[in-house]
C-alpha cells in the first residue's frame, strides 16, 4: 500500500465527518415540518406593508405573529403538521381570516391575504379547501 493510498483512504472519512458537523441544524429540523407563506394585498392588487398577521394552531391554540414586509410578503416556517388559521389586519382594511389550512410534512403552502377596504370592525372569513394542484413542487 502506497503512502498516497493511505492519505486518500483516511481523507474521505474525515471529510464526511466535517460535512456532517457543519450541516446547518435548520435543514435537519425542517424534515418533519411545513411552511406557510403569502402576500398581503389591497383590492387593487397593491401590496400592504406592515400588516399584522397571526397564525394559530387550531388543535393547540398556540399563536405566532409577524408583519408583512415592504414587499407585502410574510413567512411562517418550521410549522408542526396540523390545521391552522390565519388572521390578517391592517388599518383602513377589514380583518381577513382564513380557517382550515392543513399543513403537511415538507409542504410549503401559499396563502395570499386579500384585504378589503372598510373598517376594522368588519371581517372577511375564508375557509380553506384542499388545493387541486400544488405548484410549489411536483409531488401532487
Amino acid at each position: 500500500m502506497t503512502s498516497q493510498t493511505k492519505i486518500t483512504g483516511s481523507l474521505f472519512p474525515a471529510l464526511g465527518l466535517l460535512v456532517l458537523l457543519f450541516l446547518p441544524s435548520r435543514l435537519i429540523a425542517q424534515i418533519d415540518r411545513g411552511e406557510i407563506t403569502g402576500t398581503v394585498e389591497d383590492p387593487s392588487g397593491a401590496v400592504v406593508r406592515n400588516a399584522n398577521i397571526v397564525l394559530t394552531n387550531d388543535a393547540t391554540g398556540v399563536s405566532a405573529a409577524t408583519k408583512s414586509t415592504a414587499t407585502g410578503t410574510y413567512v411562517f416556517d418550521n410549522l408542526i403538521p396540523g390545521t391552522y388559521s390565519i388572521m390578517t389586519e391592517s388599518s383602513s382594511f377589514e380583518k381577513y381570516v382564513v380557517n382550515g389550512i392543513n399543513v403537511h410534512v415538507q409542504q410549503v403552502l401559499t396563502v395570499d391575504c386579500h384585504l378589503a377596504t372598510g373598517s376594522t370592525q368588519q371581517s372577511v372569513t375564508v375557509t380553506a379547501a384542499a388545493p387541486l394542484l400544488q405548484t410549489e413542487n411536483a409531488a401532487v
Side-chain angles (χ1 to χ4, degrees), residues 35-107:
E35 181 177 309
I36 297 175
T37 186
T39 304
V40 182
E41 299 175 338
D42 68 8
S44 69
V47 298
V48 178
R49 57 178 84 179
N50 292 323
N52 296 315
I53 304 142
V54 178
L55 177 75
T56 304
N57 184 317
D58 293 343
T60 64
V62 175
S63 296
T66 191
K67 289 187 178 281
S68 57
T69 64
T71 60
T73 60
Y74 70 91
V75 175
F76 290 103
D77 59 357
N78 204 22
L79 299 175
I80 296 170
T83 304
Y84 291 85
S85 296
I86 290 180
M87 189 270 306
T88 306
E89 59 186 349
S90 185
S91 61
S92 303
F93 294 101
E94 296 177 4
K95 186 187 308 182
Y96 185 83
V97 179
V98 181
N99 295 314
I101 303 167
N102 291 313
V103 175
H104 300 285
V105 173
Q106 293 185 345
Q107 181 182 34

Side-chain angles (χ1 to χ4, degrees), residues 105-123:
V105 173
Q106 293 185 345
Q107 181 182 34
V108 178
L109 289 173
T110 301
V111 180
D112 293 331
C113 301
H114 306 283
L115 300 179
T117 314
S119 74
T120 56
Q121 300 296 326
Q122 298 173 325
S123 67

Side-chain angles (χ1 to χ4, degrees), residues 6-26:
K6 289 180 185 177
I7 293 171
T8 306
S10 63
L11 187 61
F12 285 117
L15 286 175
L17 182 60
L18 284 174
V19 168
L20 287 177
L21 288 175
F22 291 108
L23 191 69
S25 61
R26 182 174 167 92

Side-chain angles (χ1 to χ4, degrees), residues 120-132:
T120 56
Q121 300 296 326
Q122 298 173 325
S123 67
V124 175
T125 303
V126 177
T127 302
L132 298 176

